[in-house]
Amino acid sequence: MSVGVPDPDACLPVASQSQLQNAALPRKSSRVLEFARNLCSDLSLPSVVLHSGLQLLDRVGQFIDIEDSMVSTMAAVCTFIGSKVEMNPEEIPCVRKFLPAVGNGNLIAEDFRSLEVNVLRVLEWSTVSATPAHFLPSFVRKQPLLDALVGQSRGAGRGSFVDTTLLVLAEEVGGARLNSLPSEISSVVFHLMLTEALPHLNASEIVEEVTGYSVERDLQECRRQLVDRTRVWDLLKSKLPKNISPRSTLNLVHEERN
């Protein structure tokens, strides 16, 4: 089966995070976000697996030409690899659970595993990802009053403000409209969430304590991208149902506690 993956020995070195940041064109992940989200939802995979898989796909796409007909299949392979990195061994779905979603259901397990090996070789077996999904939830959990925004849902992109935020960020990153570091993006979003939901607190002080970034010194360019240049924060608030916006979620939680 021709899969459009070249001889890995002929590939250029693995795409670094900085190379992904500087990519000016939309990435492969921008074309398969909905497919990958549905796949992770169907398999009850954690949100972090979705975002890890998307970044792995983008890294592969930096150096090989993935045929249009193969993008979804490669996304599934990268998601499978992401599940191996992010989940406990006993929780990882078997290959056969991925097969119905790709190749019109005609792809066999042997072909899927061959693709997995080829992708790993292209990546030089470097599969650890760093995405907003690896930073933002942990930042939010450091502030107990925001913990309700993380939610307990394991399904990718379901049920919490943070899950929805991560999907919007993935769309913007995939479209090459955001090019800051994932930790910077997460820190700015954390600051905006604090400012929106808990205006009585010193958001900048909390962000520096939790993330190590100074909002004024380190995050102004990233904030300009999120707030002014792309208006991602406005987009987030407009896309979210009112009942899961930060302020209303926190109010609901406080009402339940009282």
Side-chain angles (χ1 to χ4, degrees), residues 137-152 160 162 193 198 249-250 253 257:
S138 63
F139 291 168
V140 173
R141 287 192 176 100
K142 294 289 187 179
Q143 173 49 251
L145 290 176
L146 290 179
D147 193 55
L149 303 186
V150 182
Q152 302 300 318
S160 80
V162 167
M193 290 170 66
L198 302 169
T249 301
L250 291 169
V253 171
R257 288 176 178 172

Side-chain angles (χ1 to χ4, degrees), residues 9-199:
D9 293 332
C11 290
L12 296 171
V14 178
S16 67
Q17 182 62 49
S18 61
Q19 287 170 311
L20 286 178
Q21 282 176 257
N22 294 329
L25 298 175
R27 305 172 187 176
K28 294 297 183 182
S29 64
S30 66
R31 299 171 51 193
V32 293
L33 177 58
E34 190 64 23
F35 165 83
R37 178 189 180 187
N38 289 337
L39 176 64
C40 289
S41 179
D42 291 344
L43 297 179
S44 297
L45 299 177
S47 180
V48 70
V49 171
L50 166 65
H51 298 283
S52 178
L54 291 172
Q55 188 176 89
L56 292 174
L57 177 67
D58 285 336
R59 286 172 55 196
V60 173
Q62 285 288 299
F63 296 121
I64 66 174
D65 183 17
I66 303 174
E67 298 172 3
D68 290 347
S69 61
M70 287 300 300
V71 175
S72 294
T73 298
M74 293 293 281
V77 171
C78 289
T79 300
F80 181 55
I81 294 171
S83 72
K84 290 185 173 183
V85 175
E86 305 293 347
M87 300 174 68
N88 295 324
E90 66 275 9
E91 298 176 324
I92 300 167
C94 66
V95 167
R96 296 190 182 280
K97 291 190 176 182
F98 287 81
L99 299 181
V102 296
N104 295 320
N106 296 321
L107 194 69
I108 63 174
E110 182 180 356
D111 288 337
F112 192 94
R113 288 199 177 279
S114 294
L115 277 170
E116 179 192 4
V117 171
N118 283 346
V119 167
L120 290 170
R121 287 176 177 168
V122 170
L123 294 172
E124 296 178 359
W125 299 84
S126 173
T127 58
V128 176
S129 298
T131 75
H134 292 84
F135 293 99
L136 184 58
S138 63
F139 291 168
V140 173
R141 287 192 176 100
K142 294 289 187 179
Q143 173 49 251
L145 290 176
L146 290 179
D147 193 55
L149 303 186
V150 182
Q152 302 300 318
S153 171
R154 285 180 53 81
R158 295 184 299 168
S160 80
F161 179 83
V162 167
D163 282 337
T164 306
T165 298
L166 292 172
L167 286 171
V168 172
L169 293 176
E171 185 176 1
E172 296 298 309
V173 169
R177 293 178 291 273
L178 289 177
N179 58 10
S180 297
L181 289 170
S183 58
E184 294 173 343
I185 294 171
S186 301
S187 298
V188 171
V189 172
F190 181 41
H191 183 263
L192 293 168
M193 290 170 66
L194 286 166
T195 303
E196 167 72 16
L198 302 169

